[in-house]
Amino acid sequence: MRSNKPLAELHEGECARVTELLVQNGMRRRLLDIGLTPGTRVECELKSPSGDPAAYRIRGALIALRRRDAALVLTETE
């Protein structure tokens, strides 16, 4: 069953596809530049013990995002 949730709520090893970015201006450009475009597959690889930041596999690259930034990316889990 598919569900929608922010990228920040993915658990380690969980995969999802980006559906929408809830941000504008510079942060939106940064997220698009690292490959977080609608339809992109993302996997949560590792979360720090406190949960912030987390490392995500995006288009073959491992990218660390702060929880507050990852919360602005909506996904659909696979």
Side-chain angles (χ1 to χ4, degrees), residues 9-29:
E9 293 181 14
L10 292 183
H11 299 289
E12 285 186 33
E14 192 173 11
C15 297
R17 291 209 180 267
V18 175
T19 57
E20 186 178 358
L21 300 180
L22 301 176
V23 64
Q24 297 299 319
N25 303 323
M27 179 50 74
R28 181 180 184 83
R29 172 78 345 222

Side-chain angles (χ1 to χ4, degrees), residues 55-77:
Y56 301 94
R57 178 83 46 199
I58 304 167
R59 298 178 185 250
L62 195 60
I63 306 290
L65 289 175
R66 291 178 292 226
R67 184 169 186 73
R68 69 176 186 213
D69 297 332
L72 300 172
V73 179
L74 292 184
T75 66
E76 180 178 79
T77 57

